[in-house]
């Protein structure tokens, strides 16, 4: 899958309360959660996002709660990919399980600024900054997680095991 | 090659040979947990997987503790989903109404989790059970939904950071201060993807409740688990709670650690985590004098009976500042009852505290203690993220129960020794 969109830079240690505050956790609906995405960072944040835009986080993106509502709200906001220096562990698993593509790129994250146009090849992990011309290769996805992705996510993976 | 505690427990739950950090292993799980926020999504995934029944009705725990007593219609509907599922599947450990407590205080107390277990929970503070020597870790709802269906999950064997706690702590300094201090040293991502393993004379002398307070906050340093060795004290605690099984467990002498952190607690002051991250830690005196509007004493970190006693010791014969809401939430019904029997309730009420039911409510800004813009709270909970307890313009400081109680009395953050 190739994704082209605007970068939205959000900084280090973006926690799950910033992504989707607890008061919105009375639903599991992706659209509703998406409408309040990053409400804990800044009121009305989601209004700047267009379909297929890319979130760019820093260190430890997604730290905090186990709430799967966090990756669901990012997807619900129309964002299919998050690039980060590093991801918090629970969020990382959740992202893959939900089909949100997460690419870890360490210090290369500094090659992306807010509002840059970014093109991401989710299969190869190659990320092009169309604004600056920079190209970055993301760390490969561990083989076992690739297996889950190939199955079509954890729901499909478990479905096969249960069959 | 020697094994760490994390490697030993995972080895006992997989057919594969655990060779070291980074390896992905498929493991059987002993207990799968979810709460009223995360279970509805887990159930949704469980059904989408085509699962018809849970792998073992005795190995699932569903605890409705976050938005309960239900704060609104939506949360009531969420609990209904969980209740109906529990009934349909015949889940043994389903808790709500008068039986419910904060999940991570409730499960150890009821002997549902214990030494040597592998526990996955759709709640990030599932790591609490590491205090009992369980490999317990938080996951998302879909992972937990799959766990409920399959009875197994995959883990990447984590590298381990060994934390040695030595020395003799002073008055009003305990488990919460040790863990805040350690998070300050490691940083909130210092243990990202890793296991934290604790040892040293302080650990040997520490109560099981204290160990759970420390294990609880492993996730606040990014950790996957916070593990304590299983000693006789652990076995006694677990068997008294009704847990069957468990055996002594220590890491091998030649276990491989990624990093060793030595902390001497002698002379350590009570610690406070300042906004807006749990690693922004300072000795309490450096934050003294900051006016507070609310104090919260409770949660899966510090809502156990020892914490209640610690708060009561400070509050006894004193009055909470009339401008401060001091909210006390004993974490389970049996802790509540013990507070009554030991006369702590009278102390709390006489001091002018608000004593609530067991609930996670204020910790996550759910209900029963939300902060307005410009307000500041001191709390025995585990997170002080921006807006965590309410308004984005509010502030949360984390501390031990004695500091929170003393600050409630003073109306400002204070070292209990100086009250």
């Amino acid at each position: 899958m190739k994704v082209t969109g605007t970068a939205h830079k959000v900084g280090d240690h973006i926690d799950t309360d910033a992504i989707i505050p607890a008061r919105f956790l009375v639903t599991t609906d992706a659209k509703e959660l998406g409408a309040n995405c990053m409400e804990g960072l800044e009121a009305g944040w989601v209004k700047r996002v267009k379909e297929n835009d890319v979130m760019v986080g820093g260190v430890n993106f997604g730290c905090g709660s186990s709430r799967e509502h966090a990756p669901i709200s990012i997807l619900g906001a129309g964002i299919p990919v998050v690039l980060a220096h590093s991801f918090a562990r629970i969020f990382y698993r959740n992202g893959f399980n939900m089909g949100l593509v997460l690419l870890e790129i360490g210090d290369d994250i500094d090659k992306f600024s807010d509002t840059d146009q970014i093109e991401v090849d989710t299969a190869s992990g190659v990320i092009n900054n169309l604004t600056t011309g920079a190209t970055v290769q993301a760390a490969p996805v561990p083989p076992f997680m690739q297996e889950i992705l190939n199955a079509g996510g954890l729901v499909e993976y478990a479905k096969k095991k249960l069959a | 090659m020697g094994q760490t505690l994390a490697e030993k427990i995972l080895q006992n739950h997989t057919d594969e040979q655990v060779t070291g950090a980074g390896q992905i292993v498929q493991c059987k799980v002993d207990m799968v947990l979810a709460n009223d926020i995360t279970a509805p999504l887990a159930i949704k995934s469980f059904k989408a997987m085509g699962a018809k029944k849970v792998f073992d009705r005795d190995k699932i725990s569903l605890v409705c503790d976050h938005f309960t007593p239900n704060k609104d219609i939506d949360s009531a509907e969420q609990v209904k989903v969980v209740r109906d599922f529990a009934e349909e599947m015949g889940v043994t450990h389903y808790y709500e109404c008068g039986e419910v407590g904060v999940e991570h205080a409730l499960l150890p107390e009821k002997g549902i989790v214990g030494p040597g277990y592998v526990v996955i929970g759709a709640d990030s503070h599932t790591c609490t059970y590491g205090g009992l020597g369980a490999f317990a870790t938080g996951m998302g709802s879909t992972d937990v939904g799959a766990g409920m269906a399959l009875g197994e999950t995959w883990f990447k064997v984590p590298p381990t950071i060994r934390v040695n706690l030595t020395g003799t702590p002073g008055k009003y300094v305990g488990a919460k201060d040790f863990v805040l201090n350690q998070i300050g040293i490691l940083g909130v991502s210092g243990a990202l993807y890793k296991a934290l393993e604790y040892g040293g004379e302080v650990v040997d002398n520490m109560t099981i409740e204290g160990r759970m307070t420390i294990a609880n906050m492993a996730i606040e340093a990014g950790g996957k688990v916070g593990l304590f060795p299983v000693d006789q004290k652990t076995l006694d605690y677990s068997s008294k709670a009704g847990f069957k099984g468990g055996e002594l467990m220590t890491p091998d002498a030649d276990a491989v650690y990624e990093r060793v952190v030595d902390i001497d607690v002698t002379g350590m002051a009570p610690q406070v985590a300042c906004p807006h991250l749990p690693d922004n830690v300072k000795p309490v005196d450096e934050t003294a004098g900051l006016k507070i509007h609310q104090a919260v004493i409770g949660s899966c970190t510090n809502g156990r009976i020892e914490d209640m006693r610690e708060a009561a010791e400070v509050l006894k014969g004193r009055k909470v500042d009339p401008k401060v809401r001091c909210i006390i939430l004993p974490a389970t019904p049996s802790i509540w009852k013990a507070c009554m029997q030991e006369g702590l309730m009278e102390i709390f009420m006489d001091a002018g505290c608000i004593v609530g039911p067991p609930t996670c409510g204020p910790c996550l800004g759910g209900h029963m203690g939300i902060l307005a813009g410009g307000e500041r709270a001191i709390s025995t909970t585990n997170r002080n993220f921006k807006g965590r307890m309410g308004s984005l313009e509010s502030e949360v400081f984390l501390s031990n129960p004695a500091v929170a109680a003393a600050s409630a009395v003073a109306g400002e953050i204070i070292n209990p020794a100086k009250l």
Side-chain angles (χ1 to χ4, degrees):
Chain A
M1 180 173 73
K2 272 203 177 172
V3 175
T4 308
T6 304
H8 299 284
K9 208 149 183 185
V10 290
D12 290 338
H13 306 296
I14 292 296
D15 59 76
T16 49
D17 286 83
I19 299 168
I20 186 82
R23 63 184 181 277
F24 300 115
L25 303 184
V26 289
T27 178
T28 57
D29 182 74
K31 278 271 171 283
E32 233 176 288
L33 292 167
N36 296 299
C37 184
M38 304 307 274
E39 198 64 16
L41 184 71
E42 185 190 312
W45 183 92
V46 78
K47 287 182 193 142
R48 69 184 73 170
V49 175
K50 297 184 308 297
E51 194 74 21
N52 278 341
D53 278 358
V54 175
M55 195 168 321
V56 180
V59 175
N60 199 22
F61 183 91
C63 60
S65 159
S66 69
R67 61 186 75 158
E68 208 162 83
H69 311 67
I72 294 174
S73 89
I74 295 172
L75 283 166
I79 298 170
V81 181
V82 182
L83 312 178
H85 182 285
S86 55
F87 291 95
R89 188 190 59 78
I90 301 175
F91 184 89
Y92 191 68
R93 273 184 89 127
N94 283 350
F96 279 86
N97 289 344
M98 293 295 98
L100 175 64
V101 177
L102 307 178
L103 297 174
E104 206 161 40
I105 56 174
D107 290 339
D108 279 339
I109 203 71
D110 296 335
K111 292 179 180 161
F112 301 95
S113 304
D114 203 30
T115 72
D116 281 354
Q117 288 302 300
I118 299 186
E119 180 192 66
V120 182
D121 185 332
T122 60
S124 67
V126 172
I127 310 152
N128 292 313
N129 187 332
L130 304 178
T131 305
T132 66
T135 294
V136 165
Q137 172 70 55
V141 173
F144 188 80
M145 299 191 73
Q146 196 63 56
E147 213 178 299
I148 290 174
L149 281 179
N150 292 345
L154 185 61
V155 166
E156 293 305 316
Y157 176 84
K159 211 187 246 181
K160 275 187 197 154
K161 279 203 98 161
L162 285 166
Chain B
M1 193 172 66
Q3 290 184 316
T4 62
L5 289 175
E7 288 163 354
K8 281 194 173 182
I9 303 172
L10 291 179
Q11 184 65 80
N12 287 340
H13 289 77
T14 182
D15 298 332
E16 299 160 61
Q17 182 63 40
V18 172
T19 53
Q23 180 191 5
I24 287 178
V25 287
Q26 195 75 16
C27 289
K28 298 266 179 230
V29 294
D30 301 299
M31 183 52 64
V32 183
L33 165 76
N35 59 50
D36 52 323
I37 290 180
T38 59
L41 270 172
I43 293 164
K44 206 173 179 179
S45 296
F46 178 90
K47 292 190 170 157
M49 286 164 197
K52 298 282 181 281
K53 58 182 175 57
V54 296
F55 81 103
D56 187 334
R57 65 191 202 95
D58 295 328
K59 294 183 177 175
I60 314 280
S61 294
L62 298 169
V63 186
C64 297
D65 57 357
H66 274 62
F67 287 155
T68 58
N70 298 139
K71 73 180 180 95
D72 53 20
I73 296 168
D74 289 338
S75 59
E77 295 291 347
Q78 294 209 131
V79 169
K80 189 170 185 301
V81 168
V82 188
R83 185 189 305 125
D84 290 349
F85 178 77
E87 201 177 318
E88 186 189 342
M89 297 293 155
V91 169
T92 313
H93 303 296
Y94 173 74
Y95 298 99
E96 67 160 318
C97 307
E99 282 210 309
V100 84
V102 172
E103 52 196 321
H104 308 309
L106 189 71
L107 266 50
E109 184 186 88
K110 289 199 170 286
I112 294 168
V113 292
Y117 258 27
V118 167
V119 184
I120 59 169
D123 188 280
S124 58
H125 293 104
T126 302
C127 49
T128 308
Y129 318 133
L132 297 168
F135 187 101
T137 193
M139 289 186 177
S141 292
T142 298
D143 269 318
V144 159
M148 290 197 298
L150 304 170
E152 58 179 41
T153 192
W154 64 274
F155 293 105
K156 198 171 188 177
V157 178
T160 293
I161 297 177
R162 169 83 180 182
V163 180
N164 293 315
L165 296 169
T166 56
T168 313
K171 194 166 167 59
Y172 301 123
V173 179
K176 183 63 166 289
D177 305 291
F178 307 152
V179 72
L180 287 177
N181 182 269
Q182 172 238 292
I183 295 166
I185 292 168
L186 290 177
V188 286
S189 56
L192 206 53
Y193 311 126
K194 303 178 194 359
L196 285 158
E197 183 186 286
Y198 296 91
E201 55 182 327
V202 175
V203 166
D204 297 338
N205 296 329
M206 194 182 281
T207 63
I208 302 302
E209 295 200 350
R211 294 179 193 179
M212 286 197 276
T213 295
I214 292 179
N216 174 273
M217 292 191 75
I219 181 73
E220 261 50 75
K224 187 173 200 161
V225 289
L227 272 164
F228 283 78
V230 180
D231 57 14
Q232 194 53 45
K233 219 187 273 185
T234 323
L235 294 179
D236 292 346
Y237 177 97
S238 305
S239 78
K240 197 175 159 210
F243 181 79
K244 304 260 189 305
E247 52 189 41
L248 297 172
M249 181 178 57
T250 50
D252 290 330
D254 57 346
V256 177
Y257 296 109
E258 188 187 271
R259 182 179 170 189
V260 178
V261 178
D262 294 307
I263 300 176
D264 184 350
V265 306
T266 310
M268 185 186 284
Q271 306 282 298
V272 172
C274 303
H276 291 290
L277 284 174
D279 65 0
N280 190 11
V281 176
K282 293 176 183 168
V284 62
D285 292 313
E286 285 183 27
T287 60
L290 286 171
K291 292 277 176 212
I292 58 157
H293 306 87
Q294 180 165 298
V296 177
I297 300 169
S299 86
C300 58
T301 315
N302 283 120
R304 285 174 284 265
I305 189 64
E306 286 182 6
D307 305 309
M308 297 294 126
R309 289 182 194 135
E310 191 178 314
E313 190 190 326
V314 173
L315 290 166
K316 192 172 185 180
R318 293 190 166 114
K319 286 275 182 201
V320 168
D321 184 290
K323 289 183 178 165
V324 174
R325 309 175 292 272
C326 181
I327 301 168
I328 298 195
L329 303 171
T332 68
S334 74
I335 297 167
W336 229 97
K337 197 172 164 189
C339 286
M340 282 201 297
Q341 288 168 339
E342 294 181 21
L344 310 186
M345 281 301 170
E346 201 168 351
I347 295 171
F348 296 150
M349 297 310 287
D350 285 349
C353 300
I354 305 157
V355 185
T359 179
C360 305
C363 171
L364 75 162
H367 65 149
M368 293 196 179
I370 308 296
L371 299 173
E375 287 196 321
R376 184 180 291 135
I378 188 148
S379 177
T380 69
T381 53
N382 39 50
R383 290 192 172 132
N384 56 352
F385 299 152
K386 195 177 174 203
R388 170 79 173 171
M389 204 175 268
S391 166
L392 282 177
E393 276 74 49
S394 64
E395 289 183 337
V396 179
F397 288 69
L398 306 176
S399 77
N400 73 33
V403 171
S407 304
V409 170
E412 58 187 44
I413 298 179
I414 192 171
N415 186 336
K418 295 183 178 168
L419 190 65

